[in-house]
């Protein structure tokens, strides 16, 4: 994403070139990417740990959610640390291998995200519109869902191969006697037709077609839910149980809708800029401060998408919110317990020193010994009591889920 956009910057004349240290994005973009890295690793990491460790959450929708989280972690770990410096150091410093890895990982992550969202929408459609036929056919089995998730990864990897094969480090002349290196996925020998073809293919395969398919699924679900509220179908379950099922399916549907809306909002500026720049004949002449800012916004939003899914899931899913708070509180409690144990060990060592010192004072007299020994023991017991009370208070305060 980032490298694609850098490759589209038109050559500037000497009087139009602005040095990097005089541009605001030089200081803003790295800060944004640092937040993306921290929030994305923590959020997606906890999401993966929660879905893998908790057996009660290993259902069909959450298998796709796990696939989404793994795809986001892939791009955060392999692309964000390298592309975050593109607006700070101007020239690509990482070499050809990292260039290919970054481009390939980015395309894999986008493919996994959009194809998984499409599969999630199809799964929700089957679960709501015709759940009986799906269960009779055995299509709700977890092994089949895992197989579909693996096939999604295979498809995403295959479609990302051009980025891994054809990405290269290109030298671009910025002004007289000054050039920079950029990581470009478009080989020069293939010409502009290859650029336009790849941009159009990614727009259709990663954005437009999935958007239409997902929209179709949700329009069908909305129509079915509206009809089901008017005329409840006669099923083996009671009416109350049927309402609970519909309510639970609506909650999962809201989660999927949140993921879908976030994805298409985050990638809309990026695809808009790429389509405009490569298919508008006068784009290089019309490239001004507005399109420059628009390009940077698309650049940042395309990577922000990799860290906002855990935030959306936190607000949409009460189950995930409780588990997230529990894991976070456990980490904080362990840290506090470690501090308490350190303080307790320190007080014990100080008490032992004072006890040894009091033993050496026996030659002064029995009264003096008793006073020193009692003071040492009293102070040590008081410190241990305080440490124990802090431990109990911390445990009581953190075991209650928020």
């Amino acid at each position: 994403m980032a490298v694609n956009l850098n490759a589209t910057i038109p050559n500037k004349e000497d009087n139009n070139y602005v040095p990097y240290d005089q541009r605001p994005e030089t200081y803003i973009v790295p800060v944004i990417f640092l937040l993306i890295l921290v929030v994305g690793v923590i959020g997606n990491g906890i999401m993966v740990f929660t879905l893998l460790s908790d057996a009660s959450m290993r259902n069909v929708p959450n298998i796709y959610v796990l696939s989404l989280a793994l795809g986001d972690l892939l791009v955060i770990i392999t692309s964000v640390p390298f592309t975050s410096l593109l607006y700070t150091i101007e020239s690509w410093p990482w070499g050809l291998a990292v260039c290919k890895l970054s481009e390939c990982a980015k395309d894999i992550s986008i493919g996994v995200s959009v194809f998984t969202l499409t599969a999630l929408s199809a799964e929700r459609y089957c679960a709501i519109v015709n759940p009986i036929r799906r269960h009779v056919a055995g299509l709700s089995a977890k092994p089949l869902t895992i197989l579909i998730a693996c096939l999604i990864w295979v498809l995403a990897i295959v479609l990302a191969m051009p980025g891994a094969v054809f990405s290269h480090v290109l030298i671009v002349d910025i002004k007289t006697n000054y050039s920079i290196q950029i990581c470009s996925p478009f080989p020069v020998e293939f010409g502009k037709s290859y650029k336009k073809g790849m941009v159009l293919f990614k727009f259709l395969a990663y954005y437009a077609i999935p958007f239409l398919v997902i929209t179709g699924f949700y329009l069908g679900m909305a129509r079915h839910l509206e009809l089901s509220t008017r005329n409840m179908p006669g099923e083996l379950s009671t009416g109350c149980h049927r309402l609970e099922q519909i309510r639970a399916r609506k909650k999962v549907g809201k989660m999927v809708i949140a993921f879908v809306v976030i994805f298409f909002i985050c990638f809309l500026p990026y695809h808009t800029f790429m389509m405009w720049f490569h298919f508008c004949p006068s784009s290089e002449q019309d490239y001004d401060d507005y399109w420059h800012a628009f390009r940077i916004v698309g650049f940042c939003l395309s990577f922000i998408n990799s860290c906002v899914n855990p935030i959306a899931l936190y607000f949409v899913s009460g189950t995930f919110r409780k588990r997230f708070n529990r894991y976070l509180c456990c980490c904080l409690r362990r840290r506090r317990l470690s501090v308490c144990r350190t303080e307790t060990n320190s007080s014990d060592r100080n008490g032992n020193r004072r006890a040894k010192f009091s033993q050496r004072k026996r030659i002064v007299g029995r009264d003096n010994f008793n006073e020193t020994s009692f003071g040492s023991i009293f102070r040590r017991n008081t410190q241990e009591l305080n440490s124990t009370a802090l431990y109990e208070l911390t445990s009581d305060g953190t075991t209650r889920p928020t």
Side-chain angles (χ1 to χ4, degrees), residues 31 70 125 200 241 259 266 284 324 332 361 386:
V31 175
L70 292 176
Y125 178 83
L200 181 61
H241 183 61
F259 290 165
C266 288
E284 294 191 9
F324 185 91
L332 295 176
K361 297 276 291 183
N386 292 337

Side-chain angles (χ1 to χ4, degrees), residues 325-326 329-338 340-341 386-402:
N325 292 336
R326 185 178 66 187
C329 291
C330 287
C331 293
L332 295 176
R333 184 176 62 182
R334 291 193 190 101
R335 183 176 180 181
R336 291 175 182 174
L337 288 176
S338 177
C340 293
R341 289 168 182 168
N386 292 337
S387 299
T388 305
L390 179 61
Y391 171 82
E392 294 174 352
L393 179 63
T394 304
S395 300
D396 294 338
T398 56
T399 53
R400 300 188 185 96
T402 56

Side-chain angles (χ1 to χ4, degrees), residues 29-255:
V29 173
V31 175
I32 295 176
F33 268 69
L34 179 61
L35 294 176
I36 293 174
L37 182 64
V38 174
V39 175
V41 170
I42 295 176
N44 288 289
I46 293 180
M47 184 187 296
V48 171
F49 179 78
T50 301
L51 297 176
L52 290 179
S53 62
D54 197 334
S56 63
M57 299 190 70
R58 297 172 192 169
N59 52 34
V60 172
N62 285 343
I63 293 175
Y64 292 120
V65 175
L66 175 63
S67 179
L68 276 176
L70 292 176
D72 291 336
L73 277 176
L74 174 66
V75 72
I76 288 174
I77 294 174
T78 58
S79 294
V80 169
F82 304 110
T83 57
S84 61
L85 298 179
L86 288 180
Y87 283 88
T88 303
I89 57 179
E90 188 169 18
S91 184
W92 178 264
W94 310 113
L96 179 61
V98 176
C99 173
K100 292 180 178 291
L101 174 64
S102 178
E103 276 295 314
C104 182
K106 168 185 63 67
D107 290 341
I108 292 175
S109 176
I110 297 175
V112 168
S113 297
V114 68
F115 300 148
T116 302
L117 291 175
T118 306
L120 258 175
S121 303
E123 190 277 333
R124 285 296 89 197
Y125 178 83
C126 295
I128 292 176
V129 173
N130 206 338
I132 296 180
R133 180 181 298 177
R134 190 186 66 159
H135 285 287
V136 170
L139 297 178
S140 61
K142 293 181 182 178
L144 180 60
T145 304
I146 296 174
L147 176 62
I148 294 175
C150 293
L151 292 177
I152 287 174
W153 276 84
V154 172
L155 178 60
I157 292 173
V158 171
L159 295 180
M161 282 298 99
V165 175
F166 299 120
S167 295
H168 64 288
V169 178
L170 179 66
I171 299 177
V172 177
D173 294 327
I174 298 298
K175 60 180 181 178
T176 305
N177 297 327
Y178 183 72
S179 61
I180 62 173
Q181 292 183 342
I182 62 173
C183 177
S184 173
F186 306 128
V188 178
E189 59 271 17
F190 289 177
K192 292 185 177 180
S193 60
Y194 177 79
K195 291 183 181 181
K196 292 182 178 181
M198 289 301 298
V199 170
L200 181 61
F201 170 77
K202 290 183 178 181
F203 172 74
L204 294 176
Y206 293 152
Y207 195 81
I209 295 177
F211 178 75
L212 294 176
V213 173
I214 292 172
T215 301
F217 280 130
Y218 275 97
L219 288 177
M221 279 188 281
R223 181 176 179 275
H224 177 80
L225 290 174
E226 181 182 0
L227 294 176
S228 63
T229 55
R230 296 178 183 178
N231 184 17
M232 297 296 294
E235 296 185 0
L236 297 177
S237 58
T238 62
C240 295
H241 183 61
R242 171 66 178 171
L243 290 175
E244 291 178 358
Q245 284 182 337
I246 293 178
R247 191 178 297 110
R249 290 167 183 171
K250 283 183 177 180
K251 288 182 179 180
V252 179
K254 289 180 181 179
M255 176 192 71

